[in-house]
Amino acid sequence: SISIGYTVNDDLSISYGQEESHRNLRADASEYDLEIMTIQAAYTMGGMTMAISHANKDGVAYAANNDVSETILAVTMAF
């Protein structure tokens, strides 16, 4: 697992992460790797934060050809 984050200014931050996992099974079973790559950005203005995250996941549940891509947009407000 490796990740890096950078604060562009007081309001904006970005980050990148990469993770890899290998599951070892019995000799007669197949072995698959799980790989995840993410990138995120967050912008804060007053009491509001807008964040976006995108992830590519390869080998979900350690299964072959089980790839997922997801994007999440979140807006939070504090009063």
Side-chain angles (χ1 to χ4, degrees), residues 2 6 16 22-23 37 42 49 52 76:
I2 187 170
Y6 181 71
Y16 170 83
H22 181 77
R23 182 171 76 170
M37 185 280 304
T49 299
I52 188 164
T76 57

Side-chain angles (χ1 to χ4, degrees), residues 41-61:
Y43 180 78
T44 302
M45 180 174 51
M48 180 183 72
T49 299
M50 293 183 297
I52 188 164
S53 173
H54 179 75
N56 287 326
K57 303 173 185 179
D58 299 330
V60 175

